[in-house]
Amino acid sequence: MTEVSVAKEDAAAPGELVVLKSVNKHFGALHVLQDIDLTIERGEVVVVIGPSGSGKSTLCRTINRLETIDAGTITIDGKPLPQEGKELARLRADVGMVFQSFNLFAHKTVLENVMLGQIKVRRTDKKKAEEKARELLDRVGVGTQADKYPAQLSGGQQQRVAIARALAMNPKVMLFDEPTSALDPEMINEVLEVMQQLARDGMTMIVVTHEMGFARSAANRVVFMADGRIVEQAAPDQFFSNPRSDRAKDFLSKILHH
Ligand SMILES: Nc1ncnc2c1ncn2[C@@H]1O[C@H](COP(=O)(O)OP(=O)(O)OP(=O)(O)O)[C@@H](O)[C@H]1O
Ligand SMILES: [Mg+2]
């Protein structure tokens, strides 16, 4: 019988897509991420919640290296985050990011916004990029807006374009940092519905949100952060009905009874 080969120590297990180990980060004297250990499985939807300033955005930003880390490791699909250069650009394209502010290019049409990264980073030819952009714009429900400029769209429509733009890169994982916080209430659902559908389609997602309905219905796991630490994590049902830490109890009592 042959020996089973031993996996390299750093190699991710087959199902693991994003792995953070002992990640630490400071902003000056502020220890903003403290010994973060977090593993996201392929196809998993993880909702990150916690008080303002707890480090949720910083956590997201380290995962596509918009922020550097001081210590620890981050791997995406088994590969450590590159420091810089072409490799970093490629890796960033594997990690789609959607922010609170939609960050579309104002002087490009909706269609061009969704084509641009495909052409520049993925080196897709123009015709293919356009086909894919149109298909994705249809998928998020704004296909008829393709030739308009971002400012001519509602916030909810712009955010759906931003999602289409991220998806156009064929990302392995999508990060959402409060994607609905800047939207008028009547537009929140149209964006959440697109995200729900993505989750159902099996996209791996990390979502920072205050939308507890989304967390309950779409998340496989809720990660609760406070003061730069992951204080607890659990399945949504368990977390919302039976939070263990005082910090989480306190946080939930504030957001659920306001
Ligand atoms: N570039 C920066 N320089 C210095 N301090 C920063 C920087 N970015 C964030 N911080 C600080 O780091 C801490 C964590 O910020 P972060 O934005 O990650 O929190 P958050 O959990 O996303 O909060 P919110 O719910 O308000 O979005 C805060 O105290 C913030 O002021
Ligand atoms: Mg934030």
Side-chain angles (χ1 to χ4, degrees):
M1 215 168 77
T2 47
E3 283 269 299
V4 176
S5 69
V6 179
K8 263 202 336 213
E9 205 191 325
D10 289 349
E16 298 179 348
L17 187 57
V18 180
V19 181
L20 287 83
K21 283 188 183 151
S22 312
V23 168
N24 281 276
K25 173 160 186 79
H26 297 78
F27 283 122
L30 183 69
H31 197 171
V32 63
L33 294 178
Q34 304 188 31
D35 296 317
I36 301 288
D37 287 310
L38 180 65
T39 298
I40 315 283
E41 304 279 328
R42 219 175 284 280
E44 200 181 11
V45 177
V46 172
V47 163
V48 179
I49 64 174
S52 180
S54 56
K56 306 178 298 293
S57 293
T58 307
L59 178 74
C60 284
R61 292 167 61 80
T62 61
I63 294 175
N64 69 350
R65 214 174 174 288
L66 290 170
E67 298 283 358
T68 57
I69 56 176
D70 303 333
T73 58
I74 301 176
T75 58
I76 311 277
D77 211 3
K79 290 192 214 90
L81 273 183
Q83 290 299 303
E84 54 197 13
K86 279 228 170 72
E87 238 183 300
L88 178 59
R90 217 168 301 135
L91 179 125
R92 280 217 179 109
D94 283 345
V95 181
M97 182 125 191
V98 176
F99 302 89
Q100 180 175 333
S101 53
F102 327 120
N103 296 104
L104 297 171
F105 295 110
H107 304 291
K108 305 238 176 248
T109 65
V110 162
L111 184 70
E112 287 164 347
N113 264 278
V114 183
M115 289 171 64
L116 207 64
Q118 298 185 68
I119 294 168
K120 297 249 184 236
V121 180
R122 294 296 197 205
R123 302 277 164 217
T124 310
D125 73 62
K126 236 179 144 182
K127 189 159 167 282
K128 281 227 176 78
E130 178 172 344
E131 256 170 43
K132 179 155 193 171
R134 289 196 186 276
E135 180 193 309
L136 284 167
L137 289 169
D138 280 341
R139 184 164 152 199
V140 301
V142 292
T144 56
Q145 314 295 317
D147 299 319
K148 292 190 180 166
Y149 287 88
Q152 297 173 288
L153 270 56
S154 73
Q157 290 172 326
Q158 288 186 58
Q159 192 60 303
R160 285 180 284 151
V161 173
I163 293 171
R165 182 177 61 174
L167 290 174
M169 307 299 277
N170 290 331
K172 290 177 176 166
V173 52
M174 287 279 286
L175 305 180
F176 293 86
D177 190 1
E178 300 200 20
T180 59
S181 297
L183 298 176
D184 292 335
E186 71 271 20
M187 292 167 192
I188 291 176
N189 276 335
E190 62 193 40
V191 171
L192 291 177
E193 272 162 28
V194 167
M195 293 168 61
Q196 290 270 12
Q197 187 57 48
L198 258 187
R200 281 195 293 269
D201 292 344
M203 176 60 75
T204 308
M205 294 163 65
I206 302 173
V207 184
V208 179
T209 185
H210 299 301
E211 296 294 331
M212 296 303 129
F214 177 85
R216 277 180 188 278
S217 60
N220 301 109
R221 180 161 41 126
V222 173
V223 167
F224 175 72
M225 286 184 76
D227 299 329
R229 289 182 188 279
I230 293 177
V231 175
E232 68 178 275
Q233 42 183 322
D237 275 357
Q238 199 184 332
F239 178 78
F240 289 114
S241 60
N242 194 17
R244 282 160 300 168
S245 64
D246 289 341
R247 291 302 299 267
K249 284 177 194 163
D250 181 52
F251 177 77
L252 285 176
S253 74
K254 283 180 184 137
I255 59 160
L256 299 176
H257 309 291
H258 66 106

